[in-house]
Amino acid sequence: MKSSTAPDVHEERPGHAPVAHPARAAGGRDTHEGQTRAAIVQLLVEHGPITAPEIGEQLGLSAAGVRRHLDALIDAGEAEAAAPPRRQGRGRGRPARRFQLTAVGRARLGHSYDDLATAAMRHLREIGGEAAIEDFARRRVQSILSGVDPAGQDVETVAEEIADSFSESGFAASTRRVGTGVQICQHHCPVSHVAEQFPELCEAEEEAFVEILGTHVQRLATIANGDAFCTTHVPILPAKEPPSS
């Protein structure tokens, strides 16, 4: 008597190629789906707000595939359509929708030792007061930017080096040219939950930018305040013309 137990991996059929076992196939499909969704989340972190076609181009996915993953993230409260820019061009048709992570989505990326770090900061404040917190915040950002040397470099180049240093520390930072300035964007903040209670961390970053760049900067948004990403605007002054003889 032949056993009625289904083959573990695949079953052979005369004249046919092996057929994958449904349970095993589903498991592999689930793994692939999870990897694809994680890759989309990473793009939303590093390049958001980003359009669905841009995601598809980067990952080699169909429009339907991208839409399905985005819908799942939106239903879970982890992603959302970004508000359109205030100034849109007058081209034909509506601009493509751009998507970004929500606070819930960023929280699921992981914030290592948040509770421990917050408790340590509170203890530091108890024994050393506000001055101790401010000193710690300055030392922290100095360690992140220790490799940035502004000597002989233009403001935009220094801003790019600042972004690179923050990316190496887990902030997924980048720069973009906007009008007469450049913006430093931090798409993820591994200490945002701590910074919500200790804004000195964000303030120390802004002070360090001013010191290294040699010009005033303006903090436009911070993740700790509920924004999609941290944005710091750095004006680029026009080069001075030599005095006429």
Side-chain angles (χ1 to χ4, degrees), residues 73-241:
L73 289 169
I74 291 170
D75 289 343
E78 298 178 31
E80 63 185 359
R86 294 179 181 177
R87 297 180 180 178
Q88 292 283 5
R90 296 186 177 181
R92 294 181 179 178
R94 292 185 300 176
R97 295 176 71 196
R98 294 182 172 272
F99 299 89
Q100 62 191 20
L101 286 187
T102 63
V104 172
R106 286 194 302 274
R108 293 189 179 178
L109 293 173
H111 297 267
S112 299
Y113 305 109
D114 276 354
D115 292 340
L116 177 62
T118 302
M121 295 286 281
R122 287 174 181 160
H123 182 65
L124 181 61
R125 174 178 283 164
E126 289 175 4
I127 63 176
E130 295 297 330
I133 295 292
E134 292 170 1
D135 183 63
F136 172 82
R138 281 193 299 269
R139 289 173 180 267
R140 170 185 162 274
V141 72
Q142 285 171 1
S143 69
I144 293 175
L145 299 175
S146 60
V148 179
D149 183 6
Q153 299 191 86
D154 60 79
V155 169
E156 188 167 5
T157 299
V158 177
E160 291 171 356
E161 291 190 6
I162 288 173
D164 290 342
S165 294
F166 269 86
S167 289
E168 291 172 2
S169 296
F171 287 78
S174 64
T175 63
R176 60 185 179 190
R177 191 68 184 264
V178 179
T180 58
V182 61
Q183 291 183 353
I184 301 172
C185 301
Q186 295 153 249
H187 301 276
H188 176 56
C189 178
V191 297
S192 62
H193 288 184
V194 182
E196 288 174 9
Q197 300 184 48
F198 296 92
E200 291 89 349
L201 295 173
C202 299
E203 293 165 4
E205 288 180 9
E206 186 175 354
E207 292 171 2
F209 292 171
V210 170
E211 182 178 350
I212 292 177
L213 292 163
T215 183
H216 75 279
V217 303
Q218 183 180 7
R219 214 71 190 269
L220 302 178
T222 63
I223 293 173
N225 284 335
D227 298 302
F229 42 81
C230 302
T231 307
T232 304
H233 183 77
V234 183
I236 298 178
L237 302 177
K240 294 182 179 180
E241 296 182 1

